Amino acid sequence: MTDLIAAKRDGRELSTEQIQFMINNFTSGSIPDYQMASMCMAILFRGMNDREILDLTLAMERSGDILDLSGIKGVKADKHSTGGVGDKTTLVLCPMIAALGVKFAKMSGRGLGHTGGTIDKLESFPGFTTAISEEQFISNVNRIGIAIAGQTGNLVPADKKMYALRDVTGTVPSVPLIVSSIMSKKLAAGADVIVLDVKCGEGSFMKTKADAEKLASQLVRVGKLAGKKVTAVITDMDEPLGYAVGNALEVKEAIAALNGAECGELMNLCLTLGSYILIDAGMTDKEEEARSMLRRTVEDGSALKKLVELVEAQGGDPAAVYDTSRLPDAPVKMDVRSSSKGYVKHIAAENVGLVSMHLGGGRITKDSEIDLSVGVVLNKKVGDHVDEGEVLGTVHATNEEAAAKAADELRACYFLTERKGRKEKFVKAVVR
Ligand code: URA
């Protein structure tokens, strides 16, 4: 390992065998954390070529269990987001896709820090569990076309160990390391068609469009080399997605979207990601037609019905889809009023995520308990006009004191200007 670290430090290529040796022995514990941390830093500075990134991804994928989805008939789709604020896309997109007959077999994670996780959001349905066996997962996908499970204990253990190290050694923002981390998990989860939502902007890892494009094209290249159909869509994360941030609040917004409500860019994102899934699944070759097919699942209620089936199949209360008062509800709701007037220029997405986290809606450590009812609902988005004293958003909290503190924090997330500016394009690029 010392020789490999020195080779990468000096900008040399690592062979397939060297990469396998490194991942196998790090996973088993024979290579210590300090050597792997040093290697991650060498990779961050020196980079890796396509062949090395693919070898690293495959070695990581094979470091633990690999899901065998061959028992599922038809095309299997999967979706991944690089992590955002207010991102409830999976809750809307998966039922729409499944309603059209493409199978959605999804492994999801929990939230950490200022970003939310689909598993926590789904647990807002009383009784819902994502801890289902591989047999039940496969049987649910075959029966109703959709299942969402938590990552099993031994799926890509190399990534679990490496990610924890990268988190504390300043080596998260490295394209080869992010690509191998994401794609090893996607490959181990077994889907044929993969769409990736690469967030770009203040609330994400990739702050600039150039960096997001670099990441997106590497993700697509590695996925294709591994034999998958992959599309990466680069989307804006300079303000939260939609209006709600917080677990049950986001579920309510997702249900509203499936009922046809206007929810900012949320539906546009679902139609964009969904259209590439339908094209790669062979349902159509035209983007506009794919978008119409997806829209129809909302208009005819079939996507909402699919959500009901998903909730029921995984032990949740299906009546909560039609009556959202059955979902967790915070006791204190406090409106946050603007202290000036103007147009909303920017909403600090990461800080809005932190407001929700401070209210108890997010984890500070991996094992923190969270409150599913709390969070914020924005009333104003970028480009909107605000009068002095008008409501910017509403804080949902467990008590008055927490609500007052969060209200001040949320007000500070808003930046107003006198003149209405140009709104950034939401979908910045598509890489296929
Ligand atoms: N998401 C991941 O799963 N891994 C990374 O390295 C970054 C984002």
mmCIF file of all heavy atoms in Angstrom, residues 80 82 163 166 177-178 181-182 185 205, ligand 1:
data_model
loop_
_atom_site.group_PDB
_atom_site.id
_atom_site.type_symbol
_atom_site.label_atom_id
_atom_site.label_comp_id
_atom_site.label_asym_id
_atom_site.label_seq_id
_atom_site.Cartn_x
_atom_site.Cartn_y
_atom_site.Cartn_z
ATOM 1 N N HIS A 80 -30.984 8.416 -8.512
ATOM 2 C CA HIS A 80 -30.146 8.854 -7.389
ATOM 3 C C HIS A 80 -29.954 10.359 -7.468
ATOM 4 O O HIS A 80 -29.831 10.922 -8.548
ATOM 5 C CB HIS A 80 -28.776 8.156 -7.482
ATOM 6 C CG HIS A 80 -27.867 8.462 -6.332
ATOM 7 N ND1 HIS A 80 -27.929 7.789 -5.137
ATOM 8 C CD2 HIS A 80 -26.881 9.372 -6.192
ATOM 9 C CE1 HIS A 80 -27.020 8.274 -4.314
ATOM 10 N NE2 HIS A 80 -26.364 9.242 -4.930
ATOM 11 N N THR A 82 -27.573 13.570 -5.880
ATOM 12 C CA THR A 82 -26.323 13.773 -5.136
ATOM 13 C C THR A 82 -26.569 14.503 -3.812
ATOM 14 O O THR A 82 -25.630 14.797 -3.092
ATOM 15 C CB THR A 82 -25.269 14.533 -5.983
ATOM 16 O OG1 THR A 82 -25.838 15.779 -6.387
ATOM 17 C CG2 THR A 82 -24.844 13.751 -7.193
ATOM 18 N N TYR A 163 -16.377 6.457 2.878
ATOM 19 C CA TYR A 163 -17.119 7.714 2.993
ATOM 20 C C TYR A 163 -16.908 8.340 4.374
ATOM 21 O O TYR A 163 -16.697 9.554 4.495
ATOM 22 C CB TYR A 163 -18.618 7.526 2.701
ATOM 23 C CG TYR A 163 -19.255 8.848 2.381
ATOM 24 C CD1 TYR A 163 -19.296 9.324 1.078
ATOM 25 C CD2 TYR A 163 -19.734 9.667 3.397
ATOM 26 C CE1 TYR A 163 -19.819 10.577 0.791
ATOM 27 C CE2 TYR A 163 -20.256 10.918 3.117
ATOM 28 C CZ TYR A 163 -20.298 11.361 1.811
ATOM 29 O OH TYR A 163 -20.804 12.599 1.527
ATOM 30 N N ARG A 166 -13.516 9.897 4.336
ATOM 31 C CA ARG A 166 -13.467 11.104 3.494
ATOM 32 C C ARG A 166 -14.136 12.280 4.197
ATOM 33 O O ARG A 166 -13.665 13.425 4.100
ATOM 34 C CB ARG A 166 -14.164 10.841 2.146
ATOM 35 C CG ARG A 166 -13.363 9.922 1.236
ATOM 36 C CD ARG A 166 -14.215 9.426 0.088
ATOM 37 N NE ARG A 166 -14.784 10.514 -0.679
ATOM 38 C CZ ARG A 166 -15.945 10.450 -1.324
ATOM 39 N NH1 ARG A 166 -16.680 9.359 -1.292
ATOM 40 N NH2 ARG A 166 -16.377 11.488 -2.001
ATOM 41 N N LEU A 177 -13.628 9.902 -6.561
ATOM 42 C CA LEU A 177 -14.139 9.297 -5.321
ATOM 43 C C LEU A 177 -15.663 9.391 -5.234
ATOM 44 O O LEU A 177 -16.317 8.471 -4.764
ATOM 45 C CB LEU A 177 -13.474 9.936 -4.093
ATOM 46 C CG LEU A 177 -11.950 9.704 -3.995
ATOM 47 C CD1 LEU A 177 -11.368 10.414 -2.773
ATOM 48 C CD2 LEU A 177 -11.621 8.217 -3.940
ATOM 49 N N ILE A 178 -16.246 10.497 -5.690
ATOM 50 C CA ILE A 178 -17.717 10.614 -5.677
ATOM 51 C C ILE A 178 -18.315 9.630 -6.690
ATOM 52 O O ILE A 178 -19.285 8.921 -6.391
ATOM 53 C CB ILE A 178 -18.186 12.062 -5.991
ATOM 54 C CG1 ILE A 178 -17.702 13.041 -4.918
ATOM 55 C CG2 ILE A 178 -19.703 12.121 -6.097
ATOM 56 C CD1 ILE A 178 -18.077 14.500 -5.179
ATOM 57 N N SER A 181 -18.098 6.089 -5.434
ATOM 58 C CA SER A 181 -18.997 5.928 -4.290
ATOM 59 C C SER A 181 -20.446 5.757 -4.766
ATOM 60 O O SER A 181 -21.146 4.826 -4.366
ATOM 61 C CB SER A 181 -18.862 7.159 -3.381
ATOM 62 O OG SER A 181 -19.910 7.246 -2.472
ATOM 63 N N ILE A 182 -20.893 6.650 -5.655
ATOM 64 C CA ILE A 182 -22.284 6.590 -6.120
ATOM 65 C C ILE A 182 -22.507 5.370 -7.018
ATOM 66 O O ILE A 182 -23.444 4.586 -6.821
ATOM 67 C CB ILE A 182 -22.667 7.881 -6.882
ATOM 68 C CG1 ILE A 182 -22.712 9.070 -5.912
ATOM 69 C CG2 ILE A 182 -24.007 7.731 -7.599
ATOM 70 C CD1 ILE A 182 -22.989 10.411 -6.573
ATOM 71 N N LYS A 185 -22.652 1.780 -5.547
ATOM 72 C CA LYS A 185 -23.926 1.462 -4.878
ATOM 73 C C LYS A 185 -25.027 1.221 -5.913
ATOM 74 O O LYS A 185 -25.858 0.342 -5.758
ATOM 75 C CB LYS A 185 -24.318 2.609 -3.930
ATOM 76 C CG LYS A 185 -23.449 2.631 -2.671
ATOM 77 C CD LYS A 185 -23.754 3.808 -1.769
ATOM 78 C CE LYS A 185 -23.199 5.097 -2.290
ATOM 79 N NZ LYS A 185 -23.112 6.200 -1.365
ATOM 80 N N PHE A 205 -22.730 19.604 -3.185
ATOM 81 C CA PHE A 205 -21.260 19.441 -3.183
ATOM 82 C C PHE A 205 -20.615 20.196 -4.339
ATOM 83 O O PHE A 205 -19.504 20.696 -4.235
ATOM 84 C CB PHE A 205 -20.875 17.959 -3.347
ATOM 85 C CG PHE A 205 -21.259 17.095 -2.193
ATOM 86 C CD1 PHE A 205 -22.017 15.950 -2.376
ATOM 87 C CD2 PHE A 205 -20.844 17.420 -0.916
ATOM 88 C CE1 PHE A 205 -22.372 15.150 -1.311
ATOM 89 C CE2 PHE A 205 -21.191 16.620 0.158
ATOM 90 C CZ PHE A 205 -21.954 15.488 -0.039
HETATM 91 N N1 URA B 1 -23.121 10.776 -2.529
HETATM 92 C C1 URA B 1 -22.496 9.577 -2.343
HETATM 93 O O1 URA B 1 -23.139 8.535 -2.221
HETATM 94 N N2 URA B 1 -21.142 9.554 -2.321
HETATM 95 C C2 URA B 1 -20.390 10.666 -2.457
HETATM 96 O O2 URA B 1 -19.169 10.555 -2.445
HETATM 97 C C3 URA B 1 -21.050 11.896 -2.631
HETATM 98 C C4 URA B 1 -22.425 11.917 -2.677
#
